[in-house]
Amino acid sequence: MKTLLSTSTAGSLPKPEWLAEPETLWSPWKLEGEQLIAGKQDALRVALQEQQLAGTDIVSDGEQTRQHFVTTFIEHLNGVDFENRKTVKIRDRYDASVPVVVSAVSRQKPVFVDDAKFLRQQTKQPIKWALPGPMTMVDTLYDDHYQSREKLAWEFAKILNQEAKELEAAGVDIIQFDEPAFNVFFDEVNDWGIACLERAIEGLKCETAVHICYGYGIKANTDWKQTLGSEWRQYEEIFPKLQASNINIISLECHNSRVPMELIELVRGKKVMVGAIDVATDSIESPEDVATTLREALKYVDADKLYPCTNCGMAPLSREIARAKLQALSAGAEIVRKELSQ
Ligand SMILES: [Zn+2]
């Protein structure tokens, strides 16, 4: 029987410090060659066990095999030059040195499919796999070839669809596309962003999700949040079209955010992964904090469609804190599950 209020994480978990520098994004690997491959698999096993011990219902690889949620995927594509980088402003927020699209993009070979097969072998629990969304990929590059964000996103959507179909065949239950850029470029989201997302999930029979957050708990993001005012209504711009889309699940940042919870009413009918854990603070939520957020969300999401989750990935946190937050998520979900069964 499917568990009511099945818990999961948005994606990344901290890596062990023998694999990569802890509490850092884009952290370089500490191993090489065969040792690195074995090290990544060991880290995946540890990340899975951490989730299982914490009682997480839908598990993931904790993104142990990738350096970054967007660039690691792009590194495996043809048509992108990683040597001669350019500096661009990501999500209108912070400068980053990024690779350049120099010719037609295509996928050389499957990117994460072997990792997904490995995870599938380790557990019978439902598994979720995250891929970058087409718009967020475009926003993490300099485009010297297509010279159109929409055209490049459409090409990425076709490539993501190839990868997603192979992940599905490998036994992945939920394929999630990370689209933090959806919170910034509303006109583009409505013009072509959601259409590209639907191209990426075309023909899939497994469940599909889109994760839209306010970013990792890094300084550029927390500074940006300070400028957003007392109510964050970004979701309002894109929810009507998302509600009408084919995507099954929408993953959102809710806990400690200034997003008015009633905006979730706009996607009524969709499954919602409700972020009930703040990833931008080291303070650990109590189970009751989590339960409070979930109860509030239940006003706008039917119980059988509510999936307690984290606001975003936990890669930049310490392992101890991430572990405690996972436990709080499970304990908070259990409080509300009991209330619902009364
Ligand atoms: Zn996120």
Side-chain angles (χ1 to χ4, degrees):
M1 197 182 85
K2 195 186 142 294
T3 314
L4 198 62
L5 306 185
S6 286
T7 56
S8 65
T9 74
S12 65
L13 292 172
K15 294 190 181 80
E17 67 175 58
W18 45 260
L19 181 64
E21 198 59 47
E23 299 174 49
T24 320
L25 285 177
W26 269 297
S27 173
W29 302 113
K30 290 187 179 174
L31 305 173
E32 286 177 7
E34 292 295 316
Q35 281 191 337
L36 177 59
I37 293 168
K40 286 175 175 177
Q41 291 195 338
D42 288 344
L44 189 155
R45 278 189 255 250
V46 173
L48 172 64
Q49 198 209 22
E50 300 257 22
Q51 294 170 81
Q52 290 172 328
L53 290 176
T56 308
D57 300 300
I58 302 164
V59 293
S60 77
D61 68 331
E63 302 185 10
Q64 298 296 300
T65 66
R66 57 190 105 175
Q67 224 175 355
H68 185 264
F69 79 101
V70 185
T71 35
T72 298
F73 188 78
I74 295 172
E75 270 168 32
H76 289 78
L77 306 182
N78 292 318
V80 188
D81 180 356
F82 273 78
E83 303 293 310
N84 304 298
R85 290 164 166 267
K86 286 222 163 108
T87 297
V88 299
K89 206 169 260 315
I90 292 185
R91 277 175 252 151
D92 267 345
R93 208 171 307 159
Y94 52 93
D95 285 329
S97 165
V98 298
V100 178
V101 177
V102 291
S103 59
V105 289
S106 64
R107 194 184 63 147
Q108 301 160 14
K109 56 180 179 7
V111 180
F112 295 128
V113 177
D114 284 346
D115 297 333
K117 284 180 185 163
F118 182 77
L119 175 62
R120 182 72 287 171
Q121 286 166 2
Q122 314 299 318
T123 178
K124 292 193 162 39
Q125 285 178 256
I127 61 178
K128 178 158 77 86
W129 200 272
L131 292 172
M135 179 179 283
T136 299
M137 287 173 75
V138 167
D139 197 55
T140 312
L141 285 169
Y142 183 85
D143 171 21
D144 221 357
H145 179 71
Y146 295 92
Q147 278 151 25
S148 153
R149 281 161 67 92
E150 178 179 354
K151 271 190 199 146
L152 179 56
W154 189 255
E155 293 307 311
F156 282 149
K158 291 195 268 183
I159 291 170
L160 287 164
N161 187 244
Q162 297 165 0
E163 179 81 5
K165 283 184 171 157
E166 290 177 39
L167 290 171
E168 176 186 77
V172 171
D173 302 280
I174 303 172
I175 298 177
Q176 170 180 303
F177 295 88
D178 294 332
E179 282 286 26
F182 273 22
N183 245 347
V184 183
F185 308 109
F186 314 122
D187 291 343
E188 286 182 315
V189 173
N190 287 307
D191 283 352
W192 52 263
I194 292 169
C196 285
L197 199 59
E198 289 192 302
R199 178 66 186 86
I201 65 169
E202 202 174 280
L204 292 179
K205 287 177 258 341
C206 67
E207 293 226 87
T208 57
V210 61
H211 169 67
I212 309 164
C213 63
Y214 289 77
Y216 275 127
I218 57 172
K219 190 170 181 305
N221 293 329
T222 47
D223 287 351
W224 172 60
K225 287 179 181 183
Q226 297 302 321
T227 70
L228 295 177
S230 59
E231 275 206 337
W232 301 350
R233 303 194 72 92
Q234 283 72 15
Y235 289 151
E236 195 169 26
E237 307 283 336
I238 58 171
F239 273 5
K241 201 144 187 173
L242 268 180
Q243 204 280 334
S245 75
N246 292 330
I247 205 95
N248 304 123
I249 305 169
I250 303 176
S251 163
L252 301 172
E253 174 164 341
C254 302
H255 186 67
N256 280 355
S257 86
R258 296 186 196 149
V259 175
M261 200 72 95
E262 68 263 23
L263 293 185
I264 298 179
E265 183 67 46
L266 294 170
V267 288
R268 179 74 81 169
K270 294 291 185 196
K271 295 175 179 172
V272 182
M273 289 183 164
V274 172
I277 295 288
D278 186 356
V279 302
T281 171
D282 281 350
S283 85
I284 292 153
E285 290 78 2
S286 69
E288 192 51 43
D289 292 336
V290 171
T292 302
T293 299
L294 299 180
R295 284 187 204 110
E296 181 64 16
L298 277 170
K299 296 177 189 167
Y300 313 102
V301 189
D302 299 336
D304 63 339
K305 293 190 164 63
L306 195 154
Y307 292 72
C309 193
T310 58
N311 276 352
C312 188
M314 297 204 280
L317 298 177
S318 81
R319 298 177 79 189
E320 291 67 30
I321 287 168
R323 195 178 296 134
K325 282 176 178 272
L326 279 183
Q327 287 164 353
L329 182 66
S330 296
E334 185 56 26
I335 292 172
V336 179
R337 225 176 263 140
K338 284 210 176 99
E339 290 169 358
L340 288 168
S341 69
Q342 277 164 8

